[in-house]
Amino acid sequence: MSQAPDQPAVTPRAQDYAQWYLDVIQRADLAEHSPVRGCMVIKPHGYAIWEKMQRELDDRFKATGHVNAYFPLFIPLSFLAKEEQHAAGFAKECAVVTHHRLKSMDGEVVVDPASKLEEPLVIRPTSETIIWAQYKNWIQSYRDLPLLINQWANVVRWEMRTRLFLRTAEFLWQEGHTAHATEAEALEETYRMLDVYADFAENVAAVPVVKGRKTPGERFAGALETLCIEGMMQDGKALQMGTSHYLGQNFAKGADVTFLTKEGKREYVYATSWGVSTRLIGALIMTHSDDTGLVLPPKLAPIHVVIVPIFKNDAEKARVLEEADKVLAELKAQGLTVKLDDRDGIMPGAKYYEWEAKGVPVRIEVGPKDLEKGSLCVVRRFTLHETDRKARKQFLPRAEALGAIRPLLDTMQRELLERARQFRDARSRVINSLDEFEAYFAGKDAGFAWVHWAGTHEHEEEMANRFETTIRCLPFPDQIPADARDPGPCILTGQPSPQRVIMAKAY
């Protein structure tokens, strides 16, 4: 067998974090840039991760009473204009369709001037306006409420500076849009769905998050309250991983959506919206991966186990592949997703590197010596401590090895969350003065700064201009560490502050 063509090494995180991120995506074969500037092609391995995310989230949505629907990609410009604050928030990111056909002229394909639309259509940056236009027809009385709908879709936000998965002109997401009879019910929904996101982030994606509110200047356009979950990436920067918005009656009034109450009065409904996107794949990469490549939590790994046969001649090959097929069948019977890499012409070492770069949690090696001993070589993709290389590989009796795979995956899932939480806690600091804040973010190990704050939106902009930091959230009380629960003066204005906020550099 011949060695596979050499692949470029992954740039170490400590050397160039931004390039490391792109290298991990390339080596794992997750996505690539498309011919359309700012857009990406999600390749099969990357899309398989998104599909697992969809299943996990969709099950949680349906368990809380939501159903899926689909709404148009095109939104009449006048619909956006009905909710002025909302429209202003997305105005600079909107792609607009003005004509509906092309024609051939002098050997070129050009826009047909005669096909100009009576009203321009916006390619959806988000769907509140088009959805609420339909809700007007669906909601008549209190019996039609609550209306709990989600859609899986693509959206377009015309970004000038893009990065695969984190910020692209077109991306995939889900967006929930609900209508309620009372403010209390709508607020309950807003908090419930944030809890759903936090549960997914920590118990499926293994990313520890802080739950809290956005400041007024950072709220979703048209929302009265925006809740979020914030995770810390391995460079210490924050990543907003999901948001849930209480919209009050703003969109209901814009679309004139009213209902007849039990008392016979006509009132506007109360609304929420909430969403996560393929940005979650970026969060996985930047939270867990290493200098070898992608690391995936087992619950989101498209392949749980890869089996690599090892042999030197045809006689060994036949025996080893027979055993590998049996191991494959027994693991599949356990409900695991398993890949047998029996490709010819590629050395085992090249296969190891490829599947490690793709983040497969467990590798099983089967060779002639294993057959003689009745054992299997089980290799973990990662350990709790990256330097503990010896703990990665075990030689176990065959039956013990096969019985250990599912518990091992559960252990690895827990360890990823623990490892990420340890990292976040080590890179978080309670800070009490502006000088301390400046020194902290001038260093290499900055992360989450827990600071007192009582400033205005203009003060937030001052901090962003001076230190490139933003208030990630006003954490809920139960999210605040014990040593950060004291009241104190705002680090910028000196005004009294009842609680600390998280400030950080962010994506």
Side-chain angles (χ1 to χ4, degrees), residues 100 138 176 204 234 254 273 280 293 356 399 495 500:
H100 66 81
W138 298 358
V204 179
Q234 289 184 69
S273 67
L280 290 174
E356 288 195 353
Q495 296 298 310
R500 293 180 186 266

Side-chain angles (χ1 to χ4, degrees), residues 56-237:
E56 289 280 354
L57 287 164
D58 205 58
D59 286 346
R60 285 164 169 74
F61 299 159
K62 287 171 180 170
T64 48
H66 300 82
V67 294
N68 288 331
Y70 186 80
F71 297 86
L73 175 68
F74 301 113
I75 301 174
L77 182 60
S78 59
F79 282 29
L80 284 172
K82 290 178 182 178
E83 219 298 315
E84 184 177 355
Q85 183 183 358
H86 180 70
F90 288 100
K92 294 182 180 180
E93 300 175 342
C94 287
V96 183
V97 178
T98 57
H99 294 74
H100 66 81
R101 68 171 174 253
L102 305 173
K103 71 175 184 177
S104 179
M105 180 180 291
D106 299 328
E108 294 184 12
V109 177
V110 298
V111 174
D112 185 350
S115 68
K116 187 174 181 179
L117 299 174
E118 291 185 10
E119 179 180 3
L121 298 173
V122 176
I123 300 176
R124 64 173 165 235
T126 181
S127 297
E128 276 80 0
T129 55
I130 191 75
I131 286 176
W132 281 91
Q134 299 303 125
Y135 283 5
K136 176 177 173 61
N137 301 324
W138 298 358
I139 298 171
Q140 303 301 325
S141 81
Y142 68 90
R143 297 182 183 87
D144 301 318
L145 299 173
L147 185 61
L148 309 176
I149 289 182
N150 173 68
Q151 86 162 342
W152 293 94
N154 61 337
V155 293
V156 171
R157 295 180 184 176
W158 210 257
E159 301 281 358
M160 298 306 295
R161 300 176 64 183
T162 59
R163 185 177 297 182
L164 293 173
F165 290 116
L166 297 179
R167 192 174 296 277
T168 50
E170 179 194 11
F171 55 90
L172 306 181
W173 77 349
Q174 58 73 211
E175 49 180 322
H177 298 274
T178 69
H180 304 265
T182 67
E183 180 179 53
E185 289 178 10
L187 283 169
E188 183 181 10
E189 165 81 359
T190 307
Y191 282 84
R192 178 189 300 114
M193 299 317 295
L194 189 76
D195 286 340
V196 167
Y197 290 153
D199 174 70
F200 169 84
E202 298 202 338
N203 296 314
V204 179
V207 180
V209 293
V210 177
K211 297 186 290 184
R213 301 177 190 82
K214 287 293 188 183
T215 62
E218 294 292 326
R219 286 175 188 157
F220 176 72
L224 300 183
E225 191 80 87
T226 289
L227 311 180
C228 64
I229 54 173
E230 296 283 334
M232 182 190 290
M233 306 298 99
Q234 289 184 69
D235 60 350
K237 289 185 179 180

